Amino acid sequence: QVQLVESGGGLVQAGGSLRLSCAASGRSFSSYAMGWFRQAPGKEREFVSAINWSGGTYYADDVKGRFTMSRDNRGNTVYLQMNSLKPEDTAVYYCAALPDVYGGRSYYYTRTDTYDYWGQGTQVTVSS
């Protein structure tokens, strides 16, 4: 069982930055792939970024070059550094985890139904 707790959300002006954190409890964190997803009001939950067990990263097209995901296996934490934020980035951001058996095949890391564990989410609001 893995429990995930997100933090770092808030209100920021367009062009600003935020860093989200996701702290994981449970064993074998280093063997898990981790993902960030977001959900805006009235929209479906969508993929933002993921990092596999070996540190390979994957990003949605609309955040490439602006967001960076990283992991600290000693601290059982993943981070999402978000720069050049836009109003359309406004959403609840969720952290998710899965035992990484997919060998770097990006298709699996971008799907919500692949992940076994989810956090409660943290609100990010970007004002124009």
PDB file of all heavy atoms in Angstrom, residues 9-27:
ATOM      1  N   GLY A   9       0.782  23.660  -3.902  1.00  0.00           N
ATOM      2  CA  GLY A   9      -0.120  24.407  -4.756  1.00  0.00           C
ATOM      3  C   GLY A   9      -0.388  25.797  -4.202  1.00  0.00           C
ATOM      4  O   GLY A   9       0.019  26.132  -3.091  1.00  0.00           O
ATOM      5  N   GLY A  10      -1.072  26.622  -4.993  1.00  0.00           N
ATOM      6  CA  GLY A  10      -1.390  27.968  -4.545  1.00  0.00           C
ATOM      7  C   GLY A  10      -1.816  28.851  -5.690  1.00  0.00           C
ATOM      8  O   GLY A  10      -2.102  28.366  -6.794  1.00  0.00           O
ATOM      9  N   LEU A  11      -1.846  30.132  -5.415  1.00  0.00           N
ATOM     10  CA  LEU A  11      -2.231  31.145  -6.398  1.00  0.00           C
ATOM     11  C   LEU A  11      -0.977  31.870  -6.869  1.00  0.00           C
ATOM     12  O   LEU A  11      -0.171  32.319  -6.057  1.00  0.00           O
ATOM     13  CB  LEU A  11      -3.205  32.136  -5.761  1.00  0.00           C
ATOM     14  CG  LEU A  11      -3.595  33.360  -6.583  1.00  0.00           C
ATOM     15  CD1 LEU A  11      -4.358  32.941  -7.829  1.00  0.00           C
ATOM     16  CD2 LEU A  11      -4.429  34.320  -5.726  1.00  0.00           C
ATOM     17  N   VAL A  12      -0.838  31.981  -8.193  1.00  0.00           N
ATOM     18  CA  VAL A  12       0.333  32.632  -8.764  1.00  0.00           C
ATOM     19  C   VAL A  12      -0.093  33.401  -9.999  1.00  0.00           C
ATOM     20  O   VAL A  12      -1.075  33.036 -10.662  1.00  0.00           O
ATOM     21  CB  VAL A  12       1.426  31.583  -9.086  1.00  0.00           C
ATOM     22  CG1 VAL A  12       0.965  30.620 -10.160  1.00  0.00           C
ATOM     23  CG2 VAL A  12       2.738  32.245  -9.459  1.00  0.00           C
ATOM     24  N   GLN A  13       0.619  34.459 -10.307  1.00  0.00           N
ATOM     25  CA  GLN A  13       0.322  35.222 -11.519  1.00  0.00           C
ATOM     26  C   GLN A  13       0.903  34.519 -12.735  1.00  0.00           C
ATOM     27  O   GLN A  13       1.885  33.760 -12.628  1.00  0.00           O
ATOM     28  CB  GLN A  13       0.905  36.627 -11.408  1.00  0.00           C
ATOM     29  CG  GLN A  13       0.158  37.518 -10.427  1.00  0.00           C
ATOM     30  CD  GLN A  13       0.617  38.966 -10.515  1.00  0.00           C
ATOM     31  OE1 GLN A  13       1.768  39.245 -10.840  1.00  0.00           O
ATOM     32  NE2 GLN A  13      -0.286  39.887 -10.225  1.00  0.00           N
ATOM     33  N   ALA A  14       0.309  34.791 -13.865  1.00  0.00           N
ATOM     34  CA  ALA A  14       0.820  34.244 -15.121  1.00  0.00           C
ATOM     35  C   ALA A  14       2.294  34.623 -15.287  1.00  0.00           C
ATOM     36  O   ALA A  14       2.696  35.757 -14.992  1.00  0.00           O
ATOM     37  CB  ALA A  14       0.006  34.771 -16.296  1.00  0.00           C
ATOM     38  N   GLY A  15       3.076  33.638 -15.720  1.00  0.00           N
ATOM     39  CA  GLY A  15       4.513  33.836 -15.857  1.00  0.00           C
ATOM     40  C   GLY A  15       5.302  33.421 -14.635  1.00  0.00           C
ATOM     41  O   GLY A  15       6.533  33.337 -14.687  1.00  0.00           O
ATOM     42  N   GLY A  16       4.604  33.159 -13.543  1.00  0.00           N
ATOM     43  CA  GLY A  16       5.261  32.784 -12.312  1.00  0.00           C
ATOM     44  C   GLY A  16       5.579  31.306 -12.238  1.00  0.00           C
ATOM     45  O   GLY A  16       5.383  30.558 -13.203  1.00  0.00           O
ATOM     46  N   SER A  17       6.070  30.895 -11.069  1.00  0.00           N
ATOM     47  CA  SER A  17       6.508  29.507 -10.864  1.00  0.00           C
ATOM     48  C   SER A  17       5.943  28.944  -9.572  1.00  0.00           C
ATOM     49  O   SER A  17       5.680  29.692  -8.619  1.00  0.00           O
ATOM     50  CB  SER A  17       8.036  29.441 -10.794  1.00  0.00           C
ATOM     51  OG  SER A  17       8.634  29.884 -11.991  1.00  0.00           O
ATOM     52  N   LEU A  18       5.780  27.642  -9.553  1.00  0.00           N
ATOM     53  CA  LEU A  18       5.434  26.889  -8.351  1.00  0.00           C
ATOM     54  C   LEU A  18       6.179  25.570  -8.404  1.00  0.00           C
ATOM     55  O   LEU A  18       6.472  25.053  -9.487  1.00  0.00           O
ATOM     56  CB  LEU A  18       3.932  26.606  -8.283  1.00  0.00           C
ATOM     57  CG  LEU A  18       2.977  27.725  -7.861  1.00  0.00           C
ATOM     58  CD1 LEU A  18       1.532  27.248  -8.007  1.00  0.00           C
ATOM     59  CD2 LEU A  18       3.241  28.167  -6.433  1.00  0.00           C
ATOM     60  N   ARG A  19       6.441  25.001  -7.232  1.00  0.00           N
ATOM     61  CA  ARG A  19       6.986  23.656  -7.172  1.00  0.00           C
ATOM     62  C   ARG A  19       6.067  22.793  -6.329  1.00  0.00           C
ATOM     63  O   ARG A  19       5.865  23.068  -5.148  1.00  0.00           O
ATOM     64  CB  ARG A  19       8.395  23.634  -6.579  1.00  0.00           C
ATOM     65  CG  ARG A  19       9.033  22.257  -6.698  1.00  0.00           C
ATOM     66  CD  ARG A  19      10.471  22.206  -6.252  1.00  0.00           C
ATOM     67  NE  ARG A  19      10.611  22.066  -4.818  1.00  0.00           N
ATOM     68  CZ  ARG A  19      11.654  21.479  -4.223  1.00  0.00           C
ATOM     69  NH1 ARG A  19      12.645  21.010  -4.954  1.00  0.00           N
ATOM     70  NH2 ARG A  19      11.722  21.421  -2.914  1.00  0.00           N
ATOM     71  N   LEU A  20       5.537  21.767  -6.958  1.00  0.00           N
ATOM     72  CA  LEU A  20       4.701  20.800  -6.260  1.00  0.00           C
ATOM     73  C   LEU A  20       5.573  19.661  -5.734  1.00  0.00           C
ATOM     74  O   LEU A  20       6.544  19.264  -6.377  1.00  0.00           O
ATOM     75  CB  LEU A  20       3.632  20.230  -7.187  1.00  0.00           C
ATOM     76  CG  LEU A  20       2.710  21.235  -7.884  1.00  0.00           C
ATOM     77  CD1 LEU A  20       1.650  20.484  -8.689  1.00  0.00           C
ATOM     78  CD2 LEU A  20       2.077  22.186  -6.901  1.00  0.00           C
ATOM     79  N   SER A  21       5.168  19.148  -4.580  1.00  0.00           N
ATOM     80  CA  SER A  21       5.833  17.992  -3.992  1.00  0.00           C
ATOM     81  C   SER A  21       4.804  16.901  -3.762  1.00  0.00           C
ATOM     82  O   SER A  21       3.627  17.190  -3.507  1.00  0.00           O
ATOM     83  CB  SER A  21       6.480  18.358  -2.653  1.00  0.00           C
ATOM     84  OG  SER A  21       7.444  19.365  -2.810  1.00  0.00           O
ATOM     85  N   CYS A  22       5.271  15.663  -3.828  1.00  0.00           N
ATOM     86  CA  CYS A  22       4.423  14.515  -3.524  1.00  0.00           C
ATOM     87  C   CYS A  22       5.242  13.571  -2.647  1.00  0.00           C
ATOM     88  O   CYS A  22       6.227  12.992  -3.121  1.00  0.00           O
ATOM     89  CB  CYS A  22       3.966  13.823  -4.791  1.00  0.00           C
ATOM     90  SG  CYS A  22       3.071  12.278  -4.513  1.00  0.00           S
ATOM     91  N   ALA A  23       4.845  13.454  -1.397  1.00  0.00           N
ATOM     92  CA  ALA A  23       5.523  12.576  -0.461  1.00  0.00           C
ATOM     93  C   ALA A  23       4.813  11.233  -0.424  1.00  0.00           C
ATOM     94  O   ALA A  23       3.582  11.177  -0.270  1.00  0.00           O
ATOM     95  CB  ALA A  23       5.537  13.200   0.928  1.00  0.00           C
ATOM     96  N   ALA A  24       5.596  10.167  -0.547  1.00  0.00           N
ATOM     97  CA  ALA A  24       5.034   8.814  -0.586  1.00  0.00           C
ATOM     98  C   ALA A  24       5.427   8.029   0.652  1.00  0.00           C
ATOM     99  O   ALA A  24       6.574   8.127   1.114  1.00  0.00           O
ATOM    100  CB  ALA A  24       5.522   8.086  -1.828  1.00  0.00           C
ATOM    101  N   SER A  25       4.483   7.294   1.180  1.00  0.00           N
ATOM    102  CA  SER A  25       4.784   6.363   2.270  1.00  0.00           C
ATOM    103  C   SER A  25       4.670   4.954   1.726  1.00  0.00           C
ATOM    104  O   SER A  25       4.016   4.705   0.717  1.00  0.00           O
ATOM    105  CB  SER A  25       3.811   6.559   3.430  1.00  0.00           C
ATOM    106  OG  SER A  25       2.502   6.230   3.021  1.00  0.00           O
ATOM    107  N   GLY A  26       5.304   4.017   2.411  1.00  0.00           N
ATOM    108  CA  GLY A  26       5.277   2.651   1.934  1.00  0.00           C
ATOM    109  C   GLY A  26       6.648   2.224   1.457  1.00  0.00           C
ATOM    110  O   GLY A  26       7.540   3.060   1.252  1.00  0.00           O
ATOM    111  N   ARG A  27       6.788   0.941   1.228  1.00  0.00           N
ATOM    112  CA  ARG A  27       8.087   0.406   0.852  1.00  0.00           C
ATOM    113  C   ARG A  27       8.286   0.435  -0.650  1.00  0.00           C
ATOM    114  O   ARG A  27       7.347   0.590  -1.418  1.00  0.00           O
ATOM    115  CB  ARG A  27       8.199  -1.025   1.358  1.00  0.00           C
ATOM    116  CG  ARG A  27       8.172  -1.109   2.870  1.00  0.00           C
ATOM    117  CD  ARG A  27       8.375  -2.536   3.343  1.00  0.00           C
ATOM    118  NE  ARG A  27       7.254  -3.393   2.969  1.00  0.00           N
ATOM    119  CZ  ARG A  27       7.180  -4.677   3.282  1.00  0.00           C
ATOM    120  NH1 ARG A  27       8.174  -5.249   3.919  1.00  0.00           N
ATOM    121  NH2 ARG A  27       6.146  -5.382   2.926  1.00  0.00           N
TER     122      ARG A  27
END
